[in-house]
Amino acid sequence: MRVSQIELKKFRRFSDLKIQGIPQSAKLVVLAGPNGSGKSSLFDSLLLQYRMDAGLGWSQDAKYYDRSDEAEAALKQRIKVATHCGGKLTRGSVYMRTAYRNDPEFTTRSLTQQDNVLDTLHLNRLIDPDATVSKNYQRLASQAMEDVFVKEDSGTTIGDFRDKLIGQIREPLMRLFPDLIFVGVGNPLAEGSFQFDKGVSKGIDYKNLSGGEKAAFDLILDFVVKRTSYPDAIYCIDEPEAHMNTRLQAALLYELVNLLPGDSQLWVASHSIGMMRKARELYYADPASVVFIDFGGKDFDQPVVLNPSKPTRSFWASVLNVALDDLAVLVAPSEVVICEGNPRGTVAGKNAEHDAQIYKKIFGDDFPDTTFISAGNSKEVQSDFVGLATVLPNIASGIKISRLIDLDDHAPDDVADFKSKGINVLSSRHLECYLYDDEVLSELCSWAGHPELAPDLIAIKEKAIEKVVANGFPADDLKKAAGNIYVEAKKLLSLKQVGNDAPAFARQTLANLIKPGMGVYERLKQDVFGR
Ligand SMILES: Nc1ncnc2c1ncn2[C@@H]1O[C@H](COP(=O)(O)OP(=O)(O)O)[C@@H](O)[C@H]1O
Ligand SMILES: [Mg+2]
């Protein structure tokens, strides 16, 4: 069963909302948007409509459903859910999981007969607790008894049963956690619990699993146990990502979509990167099968009509903005060069992102899809100390990451070693060697309207280098000479507002002078991009 359109009037977050144009081909519907944007409210409407249509009764929690300042028509008239097959929702056509699913531990001492899943829907609202693991334990264990002793022919053994039902849970779980093997239900009559093998530990209890393992196991278990009762349903999971890391979120979404029975449809409300990434992958593999509905940036106090969003770059930018805040701007580029320089902290230091700012200025026009991020000193860049090289490819698939360090005093063998690890090395000592290259100093003179003074400025540079050498530093340590050159150049060329000190001068003035076609530009480009 698949939804085609939903209309809500004066219902929770929404004054007048219409979601339309969901195609029948949509197997996965992703509700995207920041906290408080109305995703759970929408699920509330689906749940309520289901309870009403399927005769399951519903709570008249007016304080929850009604908008305080407005006179309300009967709840029933304010919700309209239309499906592609038409007609009312019937028992088994909506499966719902709220975001409050925690079931940290349980044990069972007796088995009780379980009611029909479809007759005992315990959820009224999306804020209701929804711990299902222990109930599913009862269900699975008693179903095992029933199957083996009542339904199946006399040749069926517990072993057969284990392979049949438990196998359906074990396989997807192993794809998520390769070392976690679901082995069974223990003894339901004596501290019964789900049992797992993990590495050398055999038969550990459910309560020992990590938060993420429990969360994923719960969702898969519930799907497997319930899907025969919901063979053609609208499956809704609010915040399926809870307790999981990014990789796991993505892998879980894939498993859930695969477990969907028949023509069912999976709705997830999420603002997590992992889920979104997987949804995007599924969309590109089969665009008709995935729909995104963007709740972000809407004023739901006004009438709003939502159509499925095309997942454009700006859609991803806003999704990632919700998930990552400031980090999101790092995601737009297709290539990121991690270079030296103080990283930008919460409070920007004076020279934060010094190198990155200079590279951005120099290569901004020719490489608009590349950004530079300063990630610390040479050692920190080499070791990916802040973790960008590891994290960024997980956030944005297809992004190219490279690292760049200064030559400093590295020997040619070291440089070759760095290159083999994907770390580029400048062919000169540091960035200042390029910024204070004779060619750039000549450009500076022309820019200041005194091209004829170029030889004088170059002589100033030579003098400054002599001083550096006299102090025992190498002749190519332009960083040490920079302060002198800066002071003298200002005097020589009567420069004003070119930066308050040598580093600022480098960023604000010299970097602008290095242009394509100049020898120094080509040399730096080769060093940075290897092309
Ligand atoms: N009955 C109501 N009247 C007015 N506003 C409501 C009502 N119910 C919920 N809201 C508002 O709508 C938002 C609902 O958020 P919710 O649907 O839970 O968002 P999400 O799931 O996207 O985080 C909240 O900010 C809440 O204040
Ligand atoms: Mg919510």
Side-chain angles (χ1 to χ4, degrees):
M1 180 173 281
R2 294 183 176 180
V3 174
S4 59
Q5 146 171 337
I6 297 176
E7 285 176 88
L8 304 176
K9 293 228 160 48
K10 298 184 180 177
F11 180 80
R12 302 210 67 219
R13 179 73 193 93
F14 311 109
S15 161
D16 183 352
L17 172 70
K18 183 173 184 185
I19 296 178
Q20 61 183 19
I22 304 172
Q24 189 160 11
S25 55
K27 194 172 181 187
L28 174 64
V29 179
V30 180
L31 308 181
N35 283 331
S37 60
K39 304 180 299 296
S40 302
S41 298
L42 186 77
F43 281 166
D44 264 312
S45 70
L46 268 166
L47 180 59
L48 202 54
Q49 178 88 66
Y50 173 55
R51 295 196 72 106
M52 289 169 172
D53 280 5
L56 289 157
W58 70 92
S59 101
Q60 298 279 4
D61 187 347
K63 280 212 159 128
Y64 185 72
Y65 295 118
D66 294 353
R67 293 166 62 84
S68 56
D69 54 335
E70 295 158 345
E72 313 290 2
L75 208 43
K76 225 172 185 160
Q77 270 123 51
R78 289 185 268 145
I79 308 173
K80 261 189 222 151
V81 177
T83 61
H84 280 284
C85 56
K88 281 188 165 190
L89 301 174
T90 53
R91 282 198 191 188
S93 56
V94 173
Y95 165 101
M96 185 70 64
R97 295 299 311 267
T98 77
Y100 306 98
R101 300 184 293 269
N102 224 342
D103 218 345
E105 69 171 314
F106 75 93
T107 47
T108 300
R109 285 210 168 72
S110 62
L111 276 185
T112 44
Q113 173 78 37
Q114 297 296 297
D115 298 327
N116 183 337
V117 173
L118 299 180
D119 298 336
T120 55
L121 180 63
H122 58 286
L123 296 178
N124 272 295
R125 305 157 306 171
L126 266 286
I127 53 167
D128 289 344
D130 188 19
T132 60
V133 174
S134 64
K135 286 185 201 128
N136 281 328
Y137 180 85
Q138 286 281 339
R139 231 172 254 295
L140 210 60
S142 53
Q143 202 176 326
M145 299 292 169
E146 205 176 301
D147 279 9
V148 173
F149 296 114
V150 185
K151 286 191 188 152
E152 301 276 350
D153 63 57
S154 55
T156 305
T157 64
I158 286 277
D160 295 338
F161 171 80
R162 186 158 39 210
D163 289 343
K164 199 174 93 191
L165 194 61
I166 291 184
Q168 292 177 49
I169 300 163
R170 179 193 292 161
E171 300 298 322
L173 197 66
M174 267 174 68
R175 285 193 290 272
L176 301 181
F177 306 100
D179 60 347
L180 186 68
I181 300 170
F182 176 40
V183 290
V185 294
N187 178 358
L189 305 178
E191 298 204 19
S193 184
F194 291 115
Q195 311 245 288
F196 303 83
D197 289 350
K198 181 156 182 166
V200 292
S201 311
K202 304 292 176 203
I204 58 170
D205 269 10
Y206 166 81
K207 67 180 168 196
N208 297 313
L209 300 187
S210 74
E213 289 168 338
K214 279 182 187 135
F217 174 70
D218 169 28
L219 288 175
I220 287 176
L221 169 71
D222 201 49
F223 253 53
V224 171
V225 169
K226 308 262 173 74
R227 69 184 175 158
T228 46
S229 305
Y230 295 85
D232 179 25
I234 302 152
Y235 282 72
C236 306
I237 307 177
D238 200 6
E239 299 182 18
E241 66 268 19
H243 308 292
M244 293 177 214
N245 67 38
T246 309
R247 188 201 62 79
L248 182 56
Q249 293 164 5
L252 176 69
L253 181 61
Y254 179 80
E255 295 300 336
L256 293 176
V257 169
N258 269 349
L259 282 168
L260 276 184
D263 278 334
S264 297
Q265 186 175 53
L266 175 61
W267 288 57
V268 291
S270 176
H271 37 69
S272 85
I273 302 171
M275 292 277 158
M276 288 297 171
R277 202 176 107 222
K278 181 52 78 179
R280 185 171 82 157
E281 220 175 283
L282 296 171
Y283 173 84
Y284 287 122
D286 180 7
S289 71
V290 182
V291 155
F292 298 91
I293 298 174
D294 189 1
F295 281 64
K298 313 285 184 307
D299 178 6
F300 288 117
D301 289 333
Q302 307 301 320
V304 172
V305 176
L306 289 180
N307 287 291
S309 293
K310 278 249 174 305
T312 57
R313 232 174 145 76
S314 69
F315 170 77
W316 293 121
S318 82
V319 163
L320 289 169
N321 212 7
V322 171
L324 294 172
D325 198 16
D326 284 353
L327 262 179
V329 293
L330 302 182
V331 173
S334 57
E335 184 167 359
V336 172
V337 179
I338 299 167
C339 60
E340 294 191 23
N342 292 333
R344 187 172 28 185
T346 35
V347 182
K350 199 168 129 213
N351 288 323
E353 295 255 330
H354 176 76
D355 297 34
Q357 285 187 46
I358 290 171
Y359 287 122
K360 276 187 211 166
K361 277 222 168 116
I362 297 174
F363 295 115
D365 290 348
D366 255 10
F367 297 86
D369 268 345
T370 299
T371 200
F372 294 83
I373 304 169
S374 286
N377 60 30
S378 179
K379 282 229 155 53
E380 287 165 342
V381 173
Q382 287 163 40
S383 65
D384 190 32
F385 181 70
V386 286
L388 287 172
T390 317
V391 164
L392 286 177
N394 288 325
I395 296 171
S397 55
I399 198 165
K400 183 175 175 231
I401 310 281
S402 60
R403 278 178 274 170
L404 175 68
I405 57 172
D406 295 350
L407 175 60
D408 295 324
D409 282 306
H410 293 300
D413 278 353
D414 286 346
V415 171
D417 196 25
F418 283 131
K419 290 198 171 158
S420 73
K421 292 179 193 147
I423 301 172
N424 291 327
V425 184
L426 292 182
S427 60
S428 297
R429 175 172 289 276
H430 39 227
L431 196 44
E432 276 68 18
C433 299
Y434 304 78
L435 292 162
Y436 290 91
D437 187 279
D438 291 0
E439 217 184 345
V440 181
L441 295 181
S442 301
E443 273 301 308
L444 177 67
C445 294
S446 303
W447 174 77
H450 295 289
E452 77 287 359
L453 294 178
D456 297 0
L457 186 55
I458 291 167
I460 286 172
K461 169 184 161 183
E462 301 300 344
K463 260 214 182 116
I465 291 176
E466 277 170 32
K467 269 195 196 155
V468 168
V469 172
N471 283 330
F473 296 102
D476 63 349
D477 194 345
L478 264 296
K479 223 182 240 181
K480 291 243 157 33
N484 251 325
I485 305 174
Y486 162 68
V487 171
E488 293 303 319
K490 274 210 316 186
K491 277 192 223 154
L492 179 73
L493 299 168
S494 314
L495 299 175
K496 289 201 177 76
Q497 276 92 45
V498 290
N500 231 11
D501 53 22
F505 177 56
R507 290 193 298 271
Q508 287 158 25
T509 303
L510 295 179
N512 293 328
L513 301 172
I514 301 181
K515 294 280 178 218
M518 289 167 70
V520 64
Y521 178 92
E522 297 306 326
R523 198 152 53 81
L524 189 58
K525 187 174 103 172
Q526 182 65 34
D527 291 350
V528 173
F529 295 99
R531 58 182 189 261

